[in-house]
Amino acid sequence: MPAAQTSTRDRIVVAAARLIQRQGYVGTGIKQIAKEAEATLGSVYHFFPGGKEAVAVAAMEYGREEFAAVLRTALDSEDDPAAAVEACARVLATELRASGWTDGCPVTAAALETLGTDNEIQRACATALSAWQAQVADKLLRCGLPAQDAHNLAVTVINTLEGAEVTAQVNRDDTPLLLAGRHLSRLVASYR
Amino acid sequence: MPAAQTSTRDRIVVAAARLIQRQGYVGTGIKQIAKEAEATLGSVYHFFPGGKEAVAVAAMEYGREEFAAVLRTALDSEDDPAAAVEACARVLATELRASGWTDGCPVTAAALETLGTDNEIQRACATALSAWQAQVADKLLRCGLPAQDAHNLAVTVINTLEGAEVTAQVNRDDTPLLLAGRHLSRLVASYR
DNA sequence: CCCCCTCTAGAACGAACGCTCTATCCAGAG
DNA sequence: CTCTGGATAGAGCGTTCGTTCTAGAGGGGG
């Protein structure tokens, strides 16, 4: 019984989330997940009879909540909506750099790999993106922006952060994220 | 000698580019590339002794030029820089929809899958992103924007389009791209 | 004519894949 | 104590992976 304290199931989900975030869905093997989680193959299939796809769905949900928490903290750290959006970009930049540029968006890679397949993973990724957009929209609404503007802006805010994060990872440089923060901040301010 | 007219090498590169764009680098097999290109495994390794990675690098370069051509046409279709940027988003939306939401950015998936590996594929992806940014920056410069603003904006323009395209693919809906166009247009206009 | 070189063709290899299966462990119920 | 069922453990299945290798097809120069 290694790596006690946390349940085996949780360790599997966390390990899967981290590995898929870094190597994608196809590039991550079930055996690798088991090894990283200090579990065995039998345990993985015990908790996830649906196999690799079921593990990935659980991992996407975990990643969604993890990222949502980061977003919430950043959004709540500033009263002004423009400043709040910029804070999100700053936090992402800090965390990405701290991870050695490896831990980007937890769902993008898996989403792109499973595009044509109409599966549960796609749905989980879409749900995550919607949830994050809703968080930003909620903040903008509470700051008094018109409903339509708030929802539209929230979509672009998340999308720009996603794109900037990818570029930051590829270049191993957080400038794209910081620029995204500055530009998004200016954009949001222009709607006040 | 099936599928004449085009050289075997070119068919391999084009097929690889399309497959990697849709399924990622890891998810695309060498044998699948050969089959799709109507070539044999021997031909693939004849033209690309470097193996799968060499094929992928050539595919990334092809994708870079293909996307650059689309970008060039869109940017040249409008005089006003804000309108030009919005035209890019519109063209991407049209093409993405026409492909059945499968043909997104030709390098993002491969870039994310090979993040920690410090290989040629990473370099090819970074080069592609830089090239596209340079095209946008050039347009903004020619429209009279200050050099610093033009270069910074170009980074965010490409990143936002990338992120919006991913969301559009996941949701099978081009709204994210159209919103990106509107917001980027407004952002660019605010720097005039 | 033959030689040679580019390109095509696909069998075969070891490794890794997702998954199934049986066996074992062990805490708690009776 | 025995019994039971959730949890753990990993060998082994068939398949596919990237790669290597040998063999042949085809055509221009000696």
Side-chain angles (χ1 to χ4, degrees), chain B residues 18-86:
Chain B
R18 204 63 69 212
L19 289 172
I20 292 175
Q21 179 179 37
R22 295 181 183 171
Q23 330 172 348
Y25 173 67
V26 188
T28 301
I30 283 266
K31 291 173 185 174
Q32 187 186 11
I33 292 172
K35 186 177 219 176
E36 184 81 7
E38 300 189 75
T40 67
L41 210 48
S43 299
V44 176
Y45 278 94
H46 170 74
F47 289 110
F48 300 95
K52 187 180 180 181
E53 183 170 331
V55 176
V57 169
M60 297 293 99
E61 290 167 355
Y62 176 82
R64 159 166 60 86
E65 288 309 315
E66 194 182 38
F67 191 81
V70 172
L71 215 55
R72 188 175 311 117
T73 303
L75 287 172
D76 288 350
S77 72
E78 300 273 355
D79 282 337
D80 178 67
V85 167
E86 190 160 13

Side-chain angles (χ1 to χ4, degrees), chain B residues 112-131:
Chain B
L112 287 176
E113 287 176 315
T114 59
L115 263 180
T117 61
D118 183 39
N119 52 22
E120 293 294 329
I121 298 177
Q122 281 292 302
R123 243 181 302 276
C125 295
T127 302
L129 288 172
S130 295

